[in-house]
Amino acid sequence: MKTISRLNEVYKNAKEIPFDDTSKFVFFGDTHRGDDSIADEFGKNKHIFYHALNYYYQNDFTYVEVGDGDELWENSNFEHIRNSHFSVFNKLKEFYDAGRLYIIFGNHNMKMKSPDWVEKNMYSVYDEYLGEKVDLFPGLKVYEAFRFKHKKTHQEIFVVHGHQGDLINDQLAFISHFIIRFFWHFMHLIGVRYAASPAKSRRKMHKVEKNYTKWNAQNDTIIICGHTHRPKFPDPGESSYFNVGCGMHPRGITCLELIYGKLILVAWRVHSKKDGTLFIKRTALKGPVPIKAYDKTPPIKGKEIKNKSIQTKQE
């Protein structure tokens, strides 16, 4: 299935989430939380991520996970992931209990597409420290995509992981899953990277971005993705394809904030003071830019049409 038609299908079925100029959302993606082994690329940034979660929770943001939050291709047991990063999941549970957590699945955690799998594995988990089952995300619903719709202007933001239409990671994802689970996982332990991933292949990365930019041009709708692991924040007038980046970079993690009707690309990184003390710092890489700056509908033209219709009515 071609990327455009696949995206049209996902857009049509996306869950709608209303927002306004008082709303605050943070979009993270591709953290690929693993089992905290040497193959877990999230492990080196887990403290940065936890610090960022604390910041967003304390400042009343709603957390949106843009797919591939958990690495379920290399790790078959979700409980191992949760127990390896229990402090992170405890903080995510606080978001969920407060009604401020939304999750979409990506290709690496496509198991979450199944409500039965989510109920069995994510409603509750076995806590190794307590020695009993505890609630995690009871009643959680995981979606393929969201359509954020402004209550007043009706401007939309389409949020989707970004693997849709990428043949080897979408329609043939079961093949990639098999290869990574039973071959590349062990190669990963000695430092070999999966070459078919857009995050590791510049050619595939640009192909994905090109296809999604084309969809954006046809639909004039802001689109926020992950998948390629490359953060992207266009200038007004350019194609409004945004990418959250990922949580696996050696230099830290990136995310997008939607706050008071404006988008900001943010990096969370470790810095050092003169005395050698390390600290985690939030840095705005680009923005804030009002989302209305990406609305290509000319207001003047709309006004002219309105005046013309009034004049016709008077005649």
Side-chain angles (χ1 to χ4, degrees):
M1 186 182 295
K2 293 182 179 180
T3 301
I4 300 300
S5 58
R6 180 76 171 93
L7 283 175
N8 286 337
E9 173 194 353
V10 176
Y11 175 82
K12 180 181 178 181
N13 296 317
K15 176 178 174 57
E16 185 175 301
I17 299 175
F19 75 102
D20 56 31
D21 288 344
T22 67
S23 302
K24 294 193 285 187
F25 293 91
V26 60
F27 301 86
F28 280 100
D30 293 275
T31 52
H32 290 269
R33 294 179 292 265
D35 59 1
D36 211 19
S37 68
I38 192 173
D40 183 2
E41 294 188 80
F42 171 74
K44 59 181 174 290
N45 289 331
K46 61 183 179 182
H47 298 299
I48 300 176
F49 186 68
Y50 181 76
H51 180 79
L53 287 182
N54 265 325
Y55 169 87
Y56 290 119
Y57 184 80
Q58 292 169 7
N59 286 279
D60 299 320
F61 279 76
T62 294
Y63 176 91
V64 183
E65 194 155 273
V66 191
D68 284 359
D70 301 302
E71 179 50 68
L72 294 175
W73 274 6
E74 293 191 25
N75 306 281
S76 59
N77 193 320
F78 174 77
E79 280 193 357
H80 290 171
I81 297 174
R82 184 267 172 189
N83 289 329
S84 296
H85 301 293
F86 64 89
S87 59
V88 166
F89 279 97
N90 285 346
K91 183 56 64 176
L92 290 174
K93 177 174 170 53
E94 290 184 41
F95 277 96
Y96 183 72
D97 291 344
R100 291 158 45 198
L101 182 140
Y102 294 101
I103 296 177
I104 62 177
F105 62 81
N107 51 311
H108 281 252
N109 59 355
M110 200 177 291
K111 290 180 179 180
M112 294 183 183
K113 183 177 182 179
S114 165
D116 291 338
W117 188 94
V118 172
E119 180 178 357
K120 180 180 178 181
N121 292 276
M122 301 184 74
Y123 280 19
S124 61
V125 292
Y126 181 79
D127 191 295
E128 293 181 342
Y129 297 94
L130 297 177
E132 60 184 17
K133 279 268 189 179
V134 296
D135 283 345
L136 184 58
F137 306 126
L140 174 69
K141 292 184 178 180
V142 179
Y143 298 89
E144 184 168 11
F146 298 124
R147 278 191 294 120
F148 286 77
K149 189 170 185 177
H150 196 283
K151 295 178 182 178
K152 184 176 180 180
T153 67
H154 305 298
Q155 187 176 6
E156 291 187 339
I157 301 175
F158 181 36
V159 183
V160 64
H161 177 59
H163 68 281
Q164 288 81 359
D166 182 5
L167 182 64
I168 194 66
N169 289 299
D170 191 8
Q171 290 81 15
L172 301 180
F174 64 95
I175 297 177
S176 294
H177 181 191
F178 179 85
I179 293 173
I180 288 180
R181 179 72 183 92
F182 297 102
F183 178 69
W184 279 104
H185 174 66
F186 303 101
M187 299 297 289
H188 198 175
L189 293 172
I190 59 174
V192 180
R193 298 292 183 263
Y194 182 52
S197 167
K200 309 301 179 185
S201 168
R202 188 174 298 275
R203 182 188 64 81
K204 285 184 67 65
M205 182 189 299
H206 288 303
K207 182 179 179 181
V208 170
E209 291 177 351
K210 182 179 179 180
N211 288 335
Y212 277 64
T213 297
K214 183 178 179 181
W215 183 91
N216 169 262
Q218 293 179 2
N219 292 272
D220 189 21
T221 301
I222 293 174
I223 183 168
I224 294 177
C225 299
H227 192 49
T228 66
H229 296 191
R230 184 168 82 153
K232 195 168 181 64
F233 193 104
D235 292 322
E238 298 178 341
S239 172
S240 49
Y241 163 82
F242 291 79
N243 198 296
V244 299
C246 73
M248 302 159 55
H249 282 305
R251 298 182 300 276
I253 61 179
T254 56
C255 62
L256 282 170
E257 295 175 4
L258 172 61
I259 176 170
Y260 305 143
K262 299 177 181 179
L263 284 166
I264 310 173
L265 177 63
V266 169
W268 290 87
R269 294 171 180 163
V270 174
H271 297 262
S272 62
K273 298 180 181 179
K274 290 182 179 180
D275 63 359
T277 305
L278 300 179
F279 67 98
I280 299 170
K281 181 181 178 182
R282 172 192 173 277
T283 303
L285 300 178
K286 201 165 183 180
V289 177
I291 60 171
K292 62 183 179 182
Y294 298 97
D295 187 354
K296 298 177 183 177
T297 304
I300 296 178
K301 182 178 179 181
K303 188 174 181 180
E304 289 175 350
I305 293 173
K306 183 178 179 181
N307 290 339
K308 184 177 180 180
S309 64
I310 293 174
Q311 185 178 4
T312 303
K313 187 175 181 180
Q314 289 174 341
E315 290 176 350

